[in-house]
Amino acid sequence: MQIVSSIAAMQRLAKKWQRAGTRIGFVPTMGYLHAGHLSLVKRARQAVGKNGKVVVSIYVNPTQFAPTEDLSKYPRDLKRDLKLLRELKVDAVFTPSDAEMYSNKSQNAFSTYVAEEKLSQTMEGASRPTHFRGVTTIVAKLFNIILPDVAVFGQKDFQQAAIIKRMVTDLNFPVKIIVAPTLREHDGLAMSSRNKYLTGDLRRQATILWRAIQKTQAAVKKAKSISAAKQKADLKKLIESEPDAKLDYVEFFDPETLSPVSKISHGAQIALAVFIGKTRLIDNAKL
Ligand code: AMP
């Protein structure tokens, strides 16, 4: 497994593979890997086959964090991550530094961003206004460095996947986007690097996101069509019955357009963000 931290070296390697007709599968991550990440790596291998190359990036991208967020505290364990990726026979891991990715930023000279302007306005985009601009910018940069034929993203970040797909279509990136299912702990909590922050009773309280989703799934199954406004009010009450839980948002929307729906029926998507203590968790599911 090659560990590459320079952009020039990664591009050289990718171009060499490309010239040889080797398919490249790519999984972007911020590291502190869990089984959810590893399932994306396996999906990438499946997509490019044993003769293809799988590249994983590990980079905590500062432009997708607001100044008030957990950038400096974001969990990291590169040694463990590399061990896990080696076991999966990943071909290359791209681990650039901030100076490498935003070389001119200290001189305030980095000034080109990629921004999706429609799908990114609601939910995560409304709560974290600069977040998706950071995501689309870094993913566009990574696509230009790693030159993937296929890239795998998780459904866990449903809105992010929709925005990346739109960016790829709008800007004609020659890459196929695969969206892979969310892996969960036994009690339903979606796997996340941030789950590390959930100490003591917070870990139990964090299952409230999955319980809220399941309650809504059961309600839709029973009533066929329910009022989004009423369901939002009911879920806020349910979620905030946990002592350290605070609802940021819950939304019901069309999974293709991300447009909110006022009546929830089978096939609609639910997404929510909840603070459990200081940790902000997100989850989503089809209803
Ligand atoms: P992150 O390291 O949080 O930026 O996530 C990297 C990729 O892993 C993204 O495409 C996420 O959607 C995906 N991912 C995160 N958590 C999960 C999970 N529990 N199951 C599947 N994919 C996930």
Side-chain angles (χ1 to χ4, degrees), residues 27-31 33-37 39-40 64 74 152-157 160 180-184 190-193:
V27 180
T29 82
M30 300 202 297
L33 303 178
H34 51 66
H37 293 117
S39 73
L40 305 190
Q64 71 191 66
Y74 195 83
V152 187
F153 290 82
Q155 190 138 37
K156 160 85 185 343
D157 298 276
Q160 167 176 283
T182 303
L183 257 68
R184 300 180 178 281
M191 289 182 184
S192 163
S193 308

Side-chain angles (χ1 to χ4, degrees), residues 77-224:
D77 190 343
L78 184 60
K79 206 172 146 206
R80 181 173 167 275
D81 289 349
L82 294 176
K83 180 171 178 281
L84 292 169
L85 296 177
R86 216 171 266 126
E87 284 166 10
L88 288 187
K89 307 225 176 318
V90 164
D91 295 283
V93 182
F94 181 54
T95 56
S97 65
D98 288 344
E100 185 70 359
M101 289 310 264
Y102 296 99
S103 53
N104 297 323
K105 206 153 194 307
S106 55
Q107 296 127 46
N108 248 352
F110 184 93
S111 55
T112 305
Y113 292 86
V114 177
E116 192 285 329
E117 299 195 338
K118 198 164 170 192
L119 304 176
S120 56
Q121 299 305 303
T122 58
M123 300 186 280
E124 287 302 286
S127 279
R128 307 177 68 191
T130 58
H131 173 66
F132 284 125
R133 186 179 84 141
V135 169
T136 40
T137 300
I138 197 66
V139 172
K141 284 166 70 67
L142 290 167
F143 284 176
N144 284 332
I145 295 164
I146 289 156
L147 310 176
D149 296 283
V150 178
V152 187
F153 290 82
Q155 190 138 37
K156 160 85 185 343
D157 298 276
F158 190 90
Q159 190 178 13
Q160 167 176 283
I163 291 167
I164 297 294
K165 280 198 264 181
R166 176 63 61 85
M167 176 187 85
V168 161
T169 302
D170 287 354
L171 301 184
N172 311 99
F173 281 95
V175 55
K176 181 184 169 199
I177 302 298
I178 295 176
V179 183
T182 303
L183 257 68
R184 300 180 178 281
E185 303 290 354
H186 291 301
D187 58 8
L189 177 65
M191 289 182 184
S192 163
S193 308
R194 290 189 169 100
N195 292 350
K196 176 185 161 66
Y197 302 140
L198 301 170
T199 51
D201 188 52
L202 297 177
R203 173 62 187 79
R204 181 199 61 77
Q205 293 185 46
T207 60
I208 194 63
L209 284 88
W210 181 235
R211 285 183 274 143
I213 288 172
Q214 284 184 308
K215 195 171 176 194
T216 310
Q217 283 174 331
V220 169
K221 201 165 175 190
K222 194 160 157 233
K224 304 288 181 226

Side-chain angles (χ1 to χ4, degrees), residues 9-19 22 24 145-148:
M10 188 65 238
Q11 261 169 343
R12 254 195 322 270
L13 187 58
K15 278 192 188 160
K16 187 181 91 179
W17 288 336
Q18 209 177 45
R19 272 197 304 274
T22 305
I24 303 174
I145 295 164
I146 289 156
L147 310 176

